[in-house]
Amino acid sequence: QVHLMESGGGLVQAGGSLRLSCAASGNIRSINTMAWYRQAPGKQRELVANSPSGGTIDYADPVKGRFTISRDNAKNTVYLQMNSLKPEDTGLYYCYLNAFEGYYRRTYWGQGTQVTVSS
């Protein structure tokens, strides 16, 4: 089975940086896209950055110019470099994977990693 392991969350002051990582393991035949979502208390989960295989990278407007998504395809790993962090970036960040597990196209979610930005 496919498993996503997230790391890199924590507490940081406004203006600081964090780097999240998410490694996928299991019977992955091919990856369609990897992405990052986040959810703040009392709000719906929202897309932060999307990295489709062979496609163009997309960022949510609030993070453009500050966040960078990247992938190491050999390791089936996606990263999110977060710079100039703001308190409004606080939330639970989820790794997202859409891939073929054998012959089956499926969607997978990480357990989430907490990012807290203090004023």
Side-chain angles (χ1 to χ4, degrees), residues 3 5-6 9 20-21 26-30 49 55 61 63 65 73 81 83-85 91-93 106 110 116 119:
H3 176 71
M5 185 174 68
E6 299 183 31
L20 308 182
S21 65
N27 186 26
I28 300 172
R29 181 168 63 85
S30 63
D61 286 338
V63 309
N73 293 325
Q81 179 67 46
N83 299 325
S84 302
L85 283 162
L92 194 62
Y93 283 68
R106 292 171 174 169
T116 302
S119 301

Side-chain angles (χ1 to χ4, degrees), residues 77-89:
T77 299
V78 63
Y79 305 92
L80 186 67
Q81 179 67 46
M82 304 184 293
N83 299 325
S84 302
L85 283 162
K86 304 175 180 179
E88 46 263 51
D89 295 318

